[in-house]
Amino acid sequence: METKRVPELVLNSGGKMPIIGLGTATHPLPPPEELASILVDAIHIGYRHFDTAAIYGTEQPLGQAVSQALNLGLIKNRDEVFITSKLWNTDAHHDLILPALKTTLQKLKLEYVDLYLIHWPVRLKQGVEGFKFTGEDVVPFDIKGTWEAMEDCYRLGLAKSIGVSNFGIKKLTLLLENATIPPAVNQVEMNTSWHQGKLREFCKEKGINVSAWSPLGAYQVFWGSPAVMENPILHEIAEARNKSVAQIALRWIYEQGASIIVKSFNKERMTQNLDIFDWELSKEESDKISKIPQQRLYKAEFYVSENGPYKSLEELWDGDP
Ligand SMILES: NC(=O)c1ccc[n+]([C@@H]2O[C@H](COP(=O)([O-])OP(=O)(O)OC[C@H]3O[C@@H](n4cnc5c(N)ncnc54)[C@H](OP(=O)(O)O)[C@@H]3O)[C@@H](O)[C@H]2O)c1
Ligand SMILES: *[C@@H]1O[C@H](CO)[C@@H](O)[C@H](O)[C@H]1NC(C)=O
Ligand SMILES: *[C@@H]1O[C@H](CO)[C@@H](O)[C@H](O)[C@H]1NC(C)=O
Ligand SMILES: CC(=O)N[C@H]1CO[C@H](CO)[C@@H](O)[C@@H]1O
Ligand SMILES: CC(=O)N[C@H]1CO[C@H](CO)[C@@H](O)[C@@H]1O
């Protein structure tokens, strides 16, 4: 197996983040031992950035994979891998964040994460299990208090960088109003069918790096769609360039200045997804991609309810439903 080097970008915290991270959210998950071994393969192939979250159930196998990779000598130090995890909505409260991060670190068996994100601008009542909630369980989200506790995690050295996920422009503006430390990253849905142009422009202006989740439209996953992988324009470009559709989709995101969180648990596809750095799209090809009709895949309507803090998708997504 040949190890590829993935270029890094520098976050506003000074941290260096490999531009492609391996996603670990899927359903159903492989058994933990099998998943750990898949993630060791990924390290072998060249992945040095991994995306997990408290809600994914993959923190433990990821920690195990890092420890195995160290034992195997695939990496020499913990600091050769960049590990992101995320605060789940039930813990989005000032006093619950540090304990939540400590639980995450215990599961990962690590002393720090490289990046800790607020998973959603949403707070759920404590005790809600996983996705078993209704609109009644969504309570107001305290941007200022939540971010203050995230800053404490950074100051304690438990998170080398802190950031957010699924935040629109309005919520980022409110967060920045009282932030001492600006978020390093906003991880959002982005792909050839959902370009996030306005949000990316705003983030660029503020020095916040955008990371793209579901860059392949979560192809063949139950929350996903075929809009990326079966797009005829991408197929046409892929054929003409002798690349895969996934490579065209990922290269396009990279050329927009965003980093990429892509999930594959298959060695051949993992390898293919890293192979996007020694060629480029032509102006004509990029122009064709920018004309693909736009639609958000993942609307998260389950956070919206008549009596809750978000009464419409416009409110949840800051006017960009
Ligand atoms: N912050 C958030 O709210 C949020 C939300 C969603 C996702 N995420 C993160 O982003 C990661 C990526 O998003 P995602 O998992 O939703 O979707 P994705 O990466 O767009 O797509 C994953 C799907 O595409 C397949 N695939 C991967 N490479 C391929 C290739 N070269 N050719 C054909 N098929 C390919 C995978 O199957 P195989 O495994 O069989 O290759 C899997 O079914 C997640 O795993 C998670 O870490 C974050
Ligand atoms: C910022 O802090 C000020 C002073 O405490 C407060 O009045 C204001 O509401 C805060 N802004 C946000 C978005 O929380
Ligand atoms: C097309 O790409 C494949 C895989 O990268 C390679 O093996 C093959 O030689 C390429 N074909 C041409 C015509 O460039
Ligand atoms: C690729 C990218 O957007 N990198 C930027 C991330 O944010 C830092 C801080 O503003 C910039 O210096 C990078 O250029
Ligand atoms: C994640 C996602 O896919 N979002 C957009 C990108 O493309 C999908 C299909 O994969 C579109 O339906 C969405 O607009």
Side-chain angles (χ1 to χ4, degrees):
M1 238 183 287
E2 159 198 15
T3 298
K4 301 196 183 277
R5 272 210 66 78
V6 176
E8 297 175 325
L9 63 80
V10 181
L11 301 170
N12 60 18
S13 56
K16 283 186 191 152
M17 179 171 90
I19 284 175
I20 298 183
L22 190 79
T24 64
T26 195
H27 188 84
L29 282 172
E33 294 294 327
E34 190 184 324
L35 179 52
S37 138
I38 290 170
L39 297 172
V40 170
D41 287 342
I43 294 174
H44 205 161
I45 287 168
Y47 286 86
R48 291 292 180 271
H49 169 180
F50 293 87
D51 184 74
T52 183
I55 194 73
Y56 296 170
T58 53
E59 289 174 323
Q60 231 146 7
L62 176 56
Q64 206 182 328
V66 171
S67 147
Q68 286 174 11
L70 281 163
N71 289 338
L72 291 167
L74 294 177
I75 49 172
K76 291 194 180 60
N77 282 299
R78 149 62 184 106
D79 68 6
E80 289 173 34
V81 285
F82 187 102
I83 306 289
T84 300
S85 194
K86 314 188 192 82
L87 175 82
W88 185 239
N89 302 340
T90 43
D91 294 321
H93 176 272
H94 184 276
D95 299 342
L96 300 177
I97 293 171
L98 187 55
L101 176 53
K102 285 185 173 163
T103 303
T104 279
L105 291 172
Q106 260 166 19
K107 289 192 171 160
L108 285 163
K109 292 206 170 71
L110 294 178
E111 282 167 14
Y112 64 90
V113 289
D114 295 275
L115 178 63
Y116 196 45
L117 303 176
I118 300 176
H119 206 146
W120 287 91
V122 169
R123 184 174 167 212
L124 288 172
K125 281 182 191 159
Q126 269 178 276
V128 170
E129 269 180 54
F131 282 90
K132 287 183 213 141
F133 57 87
T134 67
E136 305 287 293
D137 297 316
V138 182
V139 289
F141 179 74
D142 167 22
I143 290 192
K144 187 169 177 246
T146 305
W147 190 250
E148 268 170 15
M150 293 292 286
E151 291 181 340
D152 289 340
C153 295
Y154 172 84
R155 287 192 197 98
L156 289 167
L158 300 178
K160 298 285 179 196
S161 299
I162 49 176
V164 298
S165 178
N166 302 304
F167 273 51
I169 293 175
K170 197 173 149 201
K171 292 183 191 73
L172 280 173
T173 306
L174 289 173
L175 186 152
L176 289 168
E177 203 174 291
N178 287 312
T180 311
I181 303 162
V185 164
N186 186 16
Q187 190 186 105
V188 295
E189 177 187 343
M190 175 178 165
N191 61 46
T192 49
S193 293
W194 188 241
H195 293 170
Q196 295 277 23
K198 271 189 286 180
L199 182 61
R200 280 193 283 119
E201 205 175 303
F202 176 87
C203 287
K204 192 172 177 193
E205 204 177 284
K206 303 292 180 190
I208 302 169
N209 289 112
V210 169
S211 278
W213 60 253
S214 294
L216 305 178
Y219 190 49
Q220 288 171 340
V221 186
F222 76 85
W223 62 82
S225 114
V228 175
M229 293 298 286
E230 293 175 16
N231 180 279
I233 294 169
L234 298 185
H235 272 265
E236 188 191 303
I237 298 172
E239 236 161 81
R241 296 297 300 271
N242 190 32
K243 301 288 176 198
S244 73
V245 171
Q247 287 173 323
I248 301 293
L250 298 174
R251 176 72 202 186
W252 178 83
I253 292 175
Y254 169 61
E255 289 186 9
Q256 308 315 301
S259 49
I260 298 168
I261 309 298
V262 61
K263 178 261 165 189
S264 178
F265 289 171
N266 167 282
K267 282 197 232 179
E268 190 273 320
R269 291 189 284 278
M270 278 184 201
T271 306
Q272 184 193 112
N273 293 348
L274 289 188
D275 202 1
I276 64 161
F277 294 108
D278 59 357
W279 52 278
E280 57 186 28
L281 295 167
S282 69
K283 168 94 176 53
E284 201 189 9
E285 288 162 344
S286 297
D287 286 350
K288 275 191 194 160
I289 294 173
S290 52
K291 291 197 185 97
I292 294 175
Q294 297 295 294
Q295 195 198 355
R296 186 190 296 278
L297 169 76
Y298 197 83
K299 297 189 191 296
E301 47 283 270
F302 38 79
Y303 294 134
V304 171
S305 82
E306 214 172 293
N307 301 315
Y310 298 127
K311 296 185 178 26
S312 66
L313 283 173
E314 276 77 7
E315 282 180 13
L316 178 64
W317 293 112
D318 293 348
D320 226 4

